[in-house]
Amino acid sequence: MTRLIGYFVIIVLVAVGFAWIADRPGNVTIQWLGYDIQTSVFIGSVALLLAFVIVFLLGWLGLLTWTGPKKFRGRVQRRRQRVGQEAVRRGIFAAGAGDKSAALKADAIARRTVPNEPLALLLQAQSAQLNEDSIASRQAFERMLEKPEMAELGLRGLYMEAKKANQNEAAKQFAERALAANPALAWSSSALFEIQSREGDWRAALKTLQIAKEHRHLAKPEADRRRSLLLTQLAIELEDSQPSKALAYATEAFDLSPTLIPAAVVAGRILTTQGQTSRATKILTQAWRSTQHPEIALTFAHARRGDSPRDRLARVKSLVAAGSQTLEGAVAVAVSAIDAQEWKTARLALEPYLANNPPARVCRLMARIEAGQNRDSGRAREWLAKAARGAPDPVWVAPDGTVSAEWQPISPTTGALGSFEWKTPPANAAANPDDFAAEISALDVVSLEGESLPDSYTKAKGLSGRSNEPVDVVASPVGTDGSDAKTPPTPANDTATSNALVTTPETTVEAEEVTTPVDRFRRR
């Protein structure tokens, strides 16, 4: 509108000017190059204006001829740019919505019109992923690495493609490069930590965890929990070779997570071997009050070197009295009482749990009591049969159903950190074939045949050995040859569900499938 008014004003001024000249007649004489030109002022003014217009037009045509092609190319390029950018915009929206055909169509337009546009590379990668073309998507992400503003996006895309293809080493390298380029990236620290944990590279995982904590990728409680799990596993691995370092790891892990049973147990064992009984007792007592577990009671019972079985029983009683009265405490007292051949104490401890289908470990302990106190083969067989039908003993169970006889920092199936919990396994629980023979109570380490603790279990653990007085499962007063008849020990190479044989002078009875703890420890 303003431009139109301007044009109108110019026309009016020109018309007024010509009218003013027309009202004032006169002559104009021009002498140039031997020519005499004489005309009126009005005609001269019109001729001058026409000459000016002609010169302007010729100059404009010349300039247009000189710069026209370049301007034309620029206009075409701008139009292509607009079309390409619009295609990229539509394509990214389509890819995000999962519209494969629209994304591929937009990608084809973007490739022709804006091949070097950064967002076009993103569209190419997303379209290739929708089309399940891993080669094309990797190529797009690799081209992103050449652009500084897209390098981090390219690394993440390449990491995801490598992980999808199960190329763990490549995925690890991409995560390391991304973390080194920008430690503030949460995904790279999380991905690298997961890979390092799966590989068992606990020290590297600790460094990555520290980076994540410094940049607040994790809340402090979660970071402390993960650190305690890693330190505990390091302590377990170094317990025999570097006990001092293992003790430092275990105590720090226990301070970070007082409910972490393995940390307390490892610390207690190492302190016991170093003769620091009071410190071991303090840690184990604190752990027992927060989480009652058989290994805590076992380690506590042997925390003082050279104790007799009765001394260990007294120690276990004091530990159980420090916490609430539960089945774990009763089992701990019963096992120590059987070890000390205090049969009455063992019975009294288990008595509240004997009714209504008692747990399997309670039944096995009662079988040992009957065999050791009364030499009653019939009652022992009855308890062993009940054990086969009773609730299974608690073990380490992961949310995916994996069962392990020993604690592990990660699930071997899913790789989830800190997933194992001490509880009764579900009916569909899947045992880990690498380290699990059968669920047992960690306290129930004395076989029904009266064997002592195996060296592999007591070595460097700070535990005293069993007394040399074995407890028979079942024994008849006199064998056929005039000697005492005892149940033969189960061979070391038996399977996890070997049949326990109970021998009497008259017959040999095959009981329910029973496996002794020593056999299970031997098979580990």
Side-chain angles (χ1 to χ4, degrees), residues 402-485:
T402 303
V403 173
S404 175
E406 296 179 354
W407 177 84
Q408 299 181 59
I410 63 172
S411 169
T413 304
T414 63
L417 183 70
S419 58
F420 277 97
E421 297 181 17
W422 178 259
K423 61 182 181 180
T424 302
N428 60 347
N432 180 7
D434 295 334
D435 63 359
F436 182 70
E439 27 69 55
I440 62 169
S441 167
L443 273 176
D444 195 11
V445 294
V446 182
S447 75
L448 296 178
E449 289 81 16
E451 298 182 38
S452 61
L453 285 169
D455 292 339
S456 61
Y457 184 75
T458 58
K459 181 181 179 182
K461 306 300 183 185
L463 304 181
S464 305
R466 287 280 299 162
S467 65
N468 293 326
E469 299 177 3
V471 179
D472 301 334
V473 177
V474 178
S476 63
V478 180
T480 54
D481 59 353
S483 61
D484 290 344

Side-chain angles (χ1 to χ4, degrees), residues 101-186:
S101 60
L104 290 174
K105 183 178 179 180
D107 179 42
I109 296 174
R111 285 173 184 267
R112 293 195 307 269
T113 56
V114 284
N116 297 321
E117 174 68 26
L119 290 179
L121 290 177
L122 177 61
L123 176 58
Q124 290 178 27
Q126 291 179 332
S127 302
Q129 289 175 334
L130 281 177
N131 200 34
E132 298 182 356
D133 188 348
S134 59
I135 296 178
S137 62
R138 282 200 302 269
Q139 290 175 345
F141 287 124
E142 287 171 357
R143 288 179 61 191
M144 291 181 190
L145 299 181
E146 301 172 0
K147 300 180 180 297
E149 69 274 17
M150 301 191 73
E152 294 175 2
L153 179 59
L155 287 171
R156 185 174 189 184
L158 290 171
Y159 163 79
M160 295 175 66
E161 288 296 325
K163 193 171 183 180
K164 187 188 300 183
N166 292 323
Q167 297 175 353
N168 296 327
E169 185 59 32
K172 179 181 179 181
Q173 292 180 10
F174 291 131
E176 287 176 341
R177 288 175 60 184
L179 187 62
N182 186 1
L185 292 175

Side-chain angles (χ1 to χ4, degrees), residues 497-520:
T497 55
S498 60
N499 292 333
L501 300 179
V502 181
T503 306
T504 64
E506 294 80 17
T507 183
T508 299
V509 181
E510 186 174 37
E512 297 280 347
E513 291 184 351
V514 176
T515 307
T516 67
V518 168
D519 295 332
R520 287 188 277 258

